[in-house]
Amino acid sequence: MELIAELLHITAGGRSIAILSEETASSLGVRSSDRIRITHNKNEAIAIANIAAHFPENRVGLYEEIATILNVKEDEKIDAQLAQLPESLSHVRAKVRGERLRETDIQNIVKDVVERHLSEVEIAAFLTALNIHGSSMSENEALSKAMVETGKTLDFGKTPILDKHSVGGIPGDKTSLIVIPIVAAAGYTIPKTSSRAITSPAGTADRMETLCPVNLTIKEIRETVDKTNGCLVWGGSLELAPADDLFIKVEYPLGIDPLLLPSIMSKKKAIGATHIVIDIPTGGGAKIKTRTEAYLLASDFVDLGKRLGMTIQCAITFGEQPLGYAIGPALEAKEALETLKGQGPPDLIDKATTLSGMLFEMLGVKNGKRKAENILVSGKADKKLREIISNQGGNPKIKPEEIAIGDKVTQVKAKQAGRVLWISTENTVQIAREAGAPKEKGAGIVLKAKLGDAVRKGSVLFEIYAERNEKMESALELANRLQPFVLSRKAEERMLLDQVPAKVTREKGFMLER
Amino acid sequence: MELIAELLHITAGGRSIAILSEETASSLGVRSSDRIRITHNKNEAIAIANIAAHFPENRVGLYEEIATILNVKEDEKIDAQLAQLPESLSHVRAKVRGERLRETDIQNIVKDVVERHLSEVEIAAFLTALNIHGSSMSENEALSKAMVETGKTLDFGKTPILDKHSVGGIPGDKTSLIVIPIVAAAGYTIPKTSSRAITSPAGTADRMETLCPVNLTIKEIRETVDKTNGCLVWGGSLELAPADDLFIKVEYPLGIDPLLLPSIMSKKKAIGATHIVIDIPTGGGAKIKTRTEAYLLASDFVDLGKRLGMTIQCAITFGEQPLGYAIGPALEAKEALETLKGQGPPDLIDKATTLSGMLFEMLGVKNGKRKAENILVSGKADKKLREIISNQGGNPKIKPEEIAIGDKVTQVKAKQAGRVLWISTENTVQIAREAGAPKEKGAGIVLKAKLGDAVRKGSVLFEIYAERNEKMESALELANRLQPFVLSRKAEERMLLDQVPAKVTREKGFMLER
């Protein structure tokens, strides 16, 4: 049926959408969400029909994505026909019915997600069904592979390629900034891609960005890794497993995460990793709450790794409090540089050398942790990070005290004497974010006491850093309301952990990035 | 945060959407699907954030819906803040986890669906979860009530109010055009709202529309019913249970129908029905395939009706072939008028008088079917339909032969002698649609043989009617490919019912409207 193109002059966020009036849709036999095949000269596009109540008759509204494919101008004629629903939609429906999907079914779905032939409604149904019915290890394998195949991949032309990943969960986790240089200094290749914070106060990319650019091209990554054995870059624009970004977008409002395993493993496979240590922080305020959950997840990672030809070891780590003392991009980068100079907090040093050591031992090295400690103490890791900073375009001579941190500082003090019995990781996250992190890189908090420390009444529990006064004020107000430290002389003196309904309504939950 | 309004000058199909650039969203701490509260002067709107890659910084793109609420002009300043996610979303998440929802939870969800505070992704997750986990009868009751409360209702100021509904399933089902005048002629009030065909060749509204207007206002419906006791109108624009239309839109691509019960019952409650007969056509080509399914559904209808204060009886009817002979809006209206004049096919007469009789007996009448037959034979029902046609604005004197049907006619003949063993209802639907129905009202097919009839080689099985030659050609081609009639002298001579893969790929499945 011949229709007139009406260009909308805005993008649809990558979606393939065409707008029709109710009458025009009815003439075409098209319902909302049906597919239409639009042709103009020799160009063809499949679009998902959106039906609008007040759209002109016999016209089709085209967002820029489709208009570009068709190379059509305002008021030109196009031909529109009802097209078949994509085959992948029948597999989505099968998953809703609880069926197991075959590898080809999953390839179909992932391909159509990336090529935008499935709508967000259909992706939501798929993810909801996956979340409820679960996915078999064969399905996870197929999902991982399909997510790799539909994106770009990196090939460094050598083996082994090491990697370290955290499923996320505790604030202040700057371990990668120590592990990467230790491993690279030992002569192994470890190209680390990471994410920016969205609901946390700092992602590894945010921390590293206070030291050097992280938004590298694939070519620049290869050059950096060729010269230094490692890198610490933002993975967001590299189009490694792009299906995952589309899945995450749909999962986010639903608070579900059925693709945790394939999501992580596809990104690792796409950079060619062969040996990976996966950190699973475990604790009440972390993503993984209990040891049982952690062991189940770990065994799934190992199994899926084997299927994908990767050697995986998982570290189940203590996740009941922030790691180290600093939280916030610049404060954490500063703490990482201090740690590389031998002045780091013991939990951070222990975690970084343990994870590095696990990687070494996976490659046959005896006493890997000792080797990692030696590299750290020798200053070789510090030197290596500075090489990486230099190759990514930063200043390799930066001193910890030169990193720009917020110049507004306020101390939050203990209202009573006692021992630190509990620190709410969620509350520290909220306060650091309220202070401006991760957007304002110098904002955050620095703990002055950790679990088990004895504090006197009036001694400092933590400091808040901000770049702007109004942020400081609202962070301080939140800190006073939330009281993230629980103090008492003995555990039995303070049994109340939280109260329901909550003392404060959270604007937004702390959701962990992957 | 202050932003500049960028008016997009198109509607978002009722959705509450605001577009932000990635940078601007990040400054606001907003992820895609987060809610933002936008204020301008004293106007406030909550919008769902859509994040676009190439949108200008520090601007917010507003579709007409939101721009109208805010009364904002191009380039004016507005204030945007991250808003809390709606409470209803936590109930959606609870349903995804498999929890039973309370009445207030469901009210929240339905209200936010109608007010567009839940996105289609979130509605898709809710419906998928409902489809997988199922809904309890209490949940169905709450859903029905909430769907009524969020829409308009009709009150005729008297009781009883009768109604007849079919869950759909077989083509040619023009029963309502006979039942409504029979019941109204008996002095009972029966205001029938119905739908237009979307994937079938004709809906009751399409059939009636060949006789008179069906797009009446609530006021016009009341006037018609006051004068004639009945009406046969299109329910689509009356805003009865509008949540249902939004649910259907999301369910459609997913091929799921978890709200069948509350969907139907809310529409009945909204028009104030007190006594309802529900037709459940049962057969291999119908929506309900087996007797077992039919009985389960029927008992749910009766139970839900009781909870909502409505008396329900269900008729489980034969659904293995089209009803009567005619398929297509005008052809069916013609057959209905002939039936009211005493020249109807026996299955249509039996079904219409049976359903009318069930309604009569629900009100205490003895031998209801006999009463219905008497009214039909006496010509009172014919007279009544003409009163209704007149009051709805049509010509009450129209003769069956005056109804405009397609002037292109082709006969499809038997290639062998035999008895009609099977008629594919789906195939007849596809052929009638290919001929132009429901859009071209005179198009459709007329069967010349039905199940059990003996035919000779070369005798006519069915006729195709079309308004345009090209439609006739493609309908005929499809008819020759599909061969909807299975002929054989005895059942055992022809065991093959269908073959896999199918002989022909169907452009679109026949989905039944509700």
Side-chain angles (χ1 to χ4, degrees):
Chain A
M1 181 173 166
E2 196 178 85
L3 299 177
I4 309 293
E6 169 126 357
L7 304 190
L8 303 175
H9 299 295
I10 54 167
T11 61
R15 298 177 190 89
S16 278
I17 298 175
I19 299 179
L20 300 171
S21 76
E22 280 171 4
E23 271 292 310
T24 308
S26 163
S27 301
L28 276 166
V30 165
R31 263 179 99 147
S32 222
S33 295
D34 273 336
R35 272 57 173 183
I36 49 176
R37 177 177 293 105
I38 308 178
T39 44
H40 176 66
N41 298 330
K42 281 181 181 164
N43 303 314
E44 181 178 300
I46 300 282
I48 300 173
N50 265 16
I51 297 175
H54 304 293
F55 200 77
E57 294 303 301
N58 296 314
R59 297 182 82 90
V60 55
L62 301 176
Y63 286 88
E64 275 176 22
E65 289 88 342
I66 299 276
T68 305
I69 294 170
L70 294 175
N71 190 23
V72 66
K73 295 194 185 62
E74 185 79 22
D75 292 335
E76 283 187 338
K77 287 173 187 167
I78 58 96
D79 181 73
Q81 297 294 339
L82 176 65
Q84 264 184 284
L85 290 171
E87 192 196 323
S88 55
L89 185 53
S90 66
H91 306 315
V92 169
R93 293 177 179 187
K95 186 37 92 179
V96 171
R97 289 193 299 269
E99 294 173 20
R100 285 282 156 98
L101 300 183
R102 294 165 304 173
E103 189 173 353
T104 51
D105 303 342
I106 285 173
Q107 282 168 345
N108 253 320
I109 290 174
V110 173
K111 188 166 164 285
D112 278 356
V113 166
V114 173
E115 293 179 2
R116 306 305 190 106
H117 292 149
L118 284 171
S119 73
E120 287 179 3
V121 156
E122 293 150 5
I123 298 172
F126 177 61
L127 295 172
T128 303
L130 265 187
N131 198 66
I132 296 174
H133 295 305
S135 46
S136 71
M137 204 44 81
S138 305
E139 287 176 319
N140 284 332
E141 180 185 346
L143 280 160
S144 307
K145 286 180 179 170
M147 282 158 75
V148 173
E149 284 159 12
T150 49
K152 292 196 177 148
T153 53
L154 271 161
D155 181 1
F156 294 97
K158 51 179 149 179
T159 188
I161 302 291
L162 280 57
D163 206 349
K164 173 259 166 194
H165 187 86
S166 169
V167 299
I170 57 168
D173 196 340
K174 67 283 293 176
T175 311
S176 292
L177 268 67
I178 320 294
V179 169
I180 308 311
I182 290 175
V183 174
Y188 298 107
T189 306
I190 186 160
K192 171 73 181 156
T193 63
S194 58
S195 56
R196 292 187 199 278
I198 299 166
T199 59
S200 73
T204 293
D206 301 307
R207 297 170 187 119
M208 190 65 177
E209 201 169 30
T210 65
L211 303 172
C212 61
V214 294
N215 197 357
L216 273 63
T217 64
I218 284 187
K219 185 164 167 283
E220 290 164 342
I221 291 172
R222 193 167 292 132
E223 285 167 5
T224 300
V225 174
D226 281 350
K227 284 189 198 146
T228 69
N229 297 332
C231 68
L232 276 148
V233 301
W234 179 49
S237 64
L238 300 174
E239 293 178 61
L240 307 170
D244 191 41
D245 301 325
L246 297 164
F247 285 135
I248 288 174
K249 204 172 141 195
V250 172
E251 289 169 6
Y252 169 66
L254 307 176
I256 58 176
D257 193 6
L259 293 176
L260 178 70
L261 285 167
S263 165
I264 291 172
M265 297 301 274
S266 62
K267 297 237 152 138
K268 301 296 145 199
K269 187 74 187 168
I271 61 150
T274 58
H275 296 75
I276 309 164
V277 61
I278 294 179
D279 176 24
I280 305 178
T282 304
K287 183 166 202 156
I288 304 302
K289 311 286 180 203
T290 67
R291 295 275 183 104
T292 311
E293 268 181 88
Y295 283 112
L296 287 171
L297 182 61
S299 104
D300 283 350
F301 269 121
V302 172
D303 183 6
L304 184 55
K306 214 170 281 169
R307 287 166 174 262
L308 297 169
M310 298 188 281
T311 308
I312 307 272
Q313 276 199 12
C314 293
I316 297 171
T317 59
F318 183 74
E320 297 284 358
Q321 65 178 345
L323 188 66
Y325 295 99
I327 300 169
L331 291 164
E332 293 189 46
K334 183 167 178 267
E335 189 170 60
L337 288 194
E338 288 163 355
T339 303
L340 289 166
K341 291 207 173 298
Q343 291 132 27
D347 56 349
L348 174 58
I349 293 172
D350 182 67
K351 183 161 169 178
T353 53
T354 300
L355 298 187
S356 303
M358 284 171 70
L359 280 171
F360 293 150
E361 293 184 7
M362 286 162 79
L363 295 165
V365 174
K366 294 249 163 67
N367 212 340
K369 188 172 194 306
R370 175 76 54 83
K371 180 181 169 97
E373 286 164 351
N374 290 341
I375 292 171
L376 183 61
V377 169
S378 70
K380 284 181 197 161
D382 184 52
K383 190 161 161 265
K384 180 55 77 180
L385 184 68
R386 288 163 190 287
E387 274 177 43
I388 294 172
I389 289 172
S390 172
N391 273 278
Q392 291 192 192
N395 169 20
K397 298 195 173 145
I398 191 163
K399 293 177 187 163
E401 58 274 22
E402 288 169 0
I403 296 173
I405 57 172
D407 60 348
K408 326 287 178 211
V409 190
T410 307
Q411 297 181 325
V412 176
K413 294 177 180 170
K415 290 180 177 161
Q416 60 169 106
R419 213 167 264 283
V420 179
L421 205 67
W422 189 57
I423 301 175
S424 162
T425 52
E426 290 106 325
N427 289 353
T428 61
V429 164
Q430 287 177 67
I431 296 164
R433 286 184 62 92
E434 198 67 28
K439 182 73 189 165
E440 287 157 24
K441 290 204 149 43
I445 64 181
V446 174
L447 307 184
K448 293 292 174 182
K450 297 203 49 181
L451 290 186
D453 288 353
V455 297
R456 280 173 298 181
K457 184 178 175 181
S459 65
V460 180
L461 293 175
F462 59 96
E463 292 170 342
I464 304 176
Y465 288 78
E467 298 183 355
R468 293 191 283 145
N469 280 324
E470 66 266 34
K471 289 279 181 183
M472 174 57 79
E473 276 163 33
S474 62
L476 189 59
E477 191 206 350
L478 188 66
N480 286 329
R481 269 195 295 157
L482 292 177
Q483 299 282 351
F485 279 67
V486 172
L487 298 173
S488 113
R489 243 159 290 169
K490 290 179 183 171
E492 59 266 33
E493 287 178 14
R494 173 77 183 255
M495 292 304 292
L496 180 71
L497 293 176
D498 203 354
Q499 53 191 78
V500 178
K503 288 172 288 184
V504 63
T505 311
R506 292 184 194 122
E507 273 284 293
K508 199 167 169 181
F510 172 40
M511 188 178 144
L512 296 152
E513 283 88 38
R514 61 187 193 213
Chain B
M1 181 173 167
E2 196 178 86
L3 298 176
I4 309 294
E6 169 125 359
L7 304 191
L8 302 174
H9 298 296
I10 54 166
T11 61
R15 299 176 188 88
S16 278
I17 297 175
I19 299 179
L20 301 171
S21 76
E22 279 171 4
E23 271 292 309
T24 307
S26 164
S27 302
L28 275 167
V30 165
R31 264 178 98 145
S32 222
S33 295
D34 274 337
R35 270 58 175 186
I36 49 175
R37 176 178 293 105
I38 307 178
T39 45
H40 175 68
N41 298 330
K42 282 182 182 165
N43 303 316
E44 181 179 298
I46 300 282
I48 299 173
N50 266 17
I51 297 176
H54 304 292
F55 200 77
E57 293 304 298
N58 295 315
R59 298 182 82 90
V60 55
L62 301 176
Y63 286 88
E64 275 177 22
E65 289 88 342
I66 298 277
T68 305
I69 294 170
L70 294 174
N71 191 22
V72 66
K73 295 194 185 62
E74 186 80 21
D75 292 334
E76 284 188 339
K77 288 174 186 167
I78 58 93
D79 181 72
Q81 299 293 339
L82 176 64
Q84 267 185 280
L85 291 171
E87 192 196 323
S88 56
L89 186 52
S90 65
H91 306 315
V92 169
R93 292 177 178 185
K95 184 39 90 180
V96 171
R97 288 193 301 271
E99 294 174 20
R100 285 282 156 98
L101 300 183
R102 295 165 304 173
E103 189 173 353
T104 52
D105 303 342
I106 285 172
Q107 283 168 345
N108 253 320
I109 290 174
V110 173
K111 190 165 162 286
D112 278 356
V113 166
V114 173
E115 293 178 2
R116 306 302 191 108
H117 292 148
L118 285 170
S119 73
E120 287 179 3
V121 157
E122 294 150 2
I123 297 173
F126 177 61
L127 295 173
T128 304
L130 264 187
N131 199 65
I132 297 173
H133 295 305
S135 46
S136 70
M137 205 41 84
S138 304
E139 288 176 319
N140 283 332
E141 180 186 344
L143 281 160
S144 307
K145 285 180 179 168
M147 284 158 75
V148 173
E149 283 159 11
T150 50
K152 291 194 179 153
T153 53
L154 271 162
D155 182 1
F156 293 97
K158 51 180 147 177
T159 189
I161 302 289
L162 279 58
D163 206 349
K164 174 259 168 195
H165 187 86
S166 169
V167 300
I170 57 168
D173 197 341
K174 68 282 292 174
T175 312
S176 292
L177 267 66
I178 320 292
V179 169
I180 307 311
I182 290 176
V183 174
Y188 298 107
T189 306
I190 186 159
K192 171 71 181 157
T193 64
S194 58
S195 56
R196 289 187 202 279
I198 300 166
T199 60
S200 72
T204 293
D206 301 306
R207 297 172 187 120
M208 191 64 178
E209 203 170 29
T210 64
L211 303 172
C212 60
V214 294
N215 197 356
L216 273 64
T217 63
I218 285 189
K219 185 165 167 284
E220 290 165 339
I221 291 173
R222 193 166 295 132
E223 285 166 4
T224 301
V225 175
D226 280 349
K227 284 189 201 148
T228 69
N229 295 333
C231 68
L232 275 148
V233 301
W234 180 49
S237 64
L238 301 175
E239 292 177 64
L240 307 169
D244 191 42
D245 301 324
L246 298 164
F247 285 133
I248 288 175
K249 204 172 142 196
V250 172
E251 289 169 4
Y252 169 64
L254 308 176
I256 57 175
D257 193 5
L259 293 176
L260 177 70
L261 285 168
S263 163
I264 291 173
M265 297 300 273
S266 62
K267 297 236 152 140
K268 301 296 145 197
K269 188 73 189 169
I271 60 149
T274 58
H275 295 75
I276 310 165
V277 62
I278 294 180
D279 176 23
I280 306 178
T282 304
K287 182 166 204 160
I288 303 301
K289 311 287 180 202
T290 66
R291 294 275 181 104
T292 312
E293 270 181 86
Y295 283 113
L296 287 171
L297 182 61
S299 104
D300 283 349
F301 269 121
V302 173
D303 184 5
L304 184 54
K306 215 171 277 169
R307 286 165 174 264
L308 296 169
M310 298 188 281
T311 307
I312 307 273
Q313 278 202 13
C314 293
I316 297 171
T317 58
F318 184 74
E320 297 286 359
Q321 67 178 342
L323 188 67
Y325 295 98
I327 300 171
L331 291 164
E332 293 190 46
K334 182 167 178 269
E335 188 169 61
L337 288 194
E338 288 162 355
T339 304
L340 289 165
K341 289 204 175 299
Q343 294 132 25
D347 56 349
L348 175 57
I349 293 172
D350 183 66
K351 184 162 168 178
T353 53
T354 301
L355 298 187
S356 303
M358 284 171 70
L359 280 170
F360 293 151
E361 292 184 8
M362 285 162 80
L363 295 166
V365 174
K366 293 251 163 67
N367 211 339
K369 187 171 195 303
R370 174 75 54 82
K371 180 181 167 96
E373 286 164 350
N374 289 341
I375 291 172
L376 182 63
V377 169
S378 71
K380 285 182 197 159
D382 184 53
K383 189 162 162 265
K384 178 57 73 177
L385 183 68
R386 289 163 188 285
E387 273 177 42
I388 294 172
I389 289 172
S390 171
N391 274 278
Q392 289 191 195
N395 168 21
K397 296 190 177 150
I398 189 162
K399 292 176 187 162
E401 59 273 21
E402 288 169 0
I403 296 174
I405 58 172
D407 60 348
K408 328 286 179 210
V409 190
T410 308
Q411 296 180 327
V412 176
K413 294 176 180 171
K415 290 178 179 165
Q416 60 169 105
R419 214 166 263 283
V420 179
L421 205 67
W422 189 57
I423 302 174
S424 163
T425 52
E426 291 106 324
N427 289 353
T428 60
V429 164
Q430 287 178 65
I431 296 164
R433 287 183 63 91
E434 199 67 29
K439 183 72 187 166
E440 287 158 25
K441 290 204 149 46
I445 65 181
V446 174
L447 307 183
K448 293 293 173 181
K450 298 203 49 183
L451 290 185
D453 286 352
V455 296
R456 280 173 298 180
K457 184 176 175 183
S459 66
V460 181
L461 292 175
F462 58 97
E463 292 171 341
I464 305 176
Y465 287 78
E467 297 183 356
R468 294 191 283 145
N469 280 324
E470 66 265 34
K471 289 280 180 183
M472 174 57 78
E473 276 163 33
S474 62
L476 188 59
E477 191 206 352
L478 188 67
N480 286 328
R481 270 197 294 158
L482 292 177
Q483 299 283 352
F485 278 67
V486 172
L487 298 173
S488 112
R489 241 157 292 166
K490 288 179 183 171
E492 58 267 32
E493 288 178 14
R494 173 76 184 257
M495 291 305 291
L496 180 70
L497 293 177
D498 204 356
Q499 51 191 77
V500 178
K503 290 171 286 182
V504 66
T505 311
R506 292 185 194 122
E507 272 283 292
K508 201 166 169 181
F510 171 40
M511 187 176 144
L512 296 151
E513 284 89 38
R514 63 189 190 210

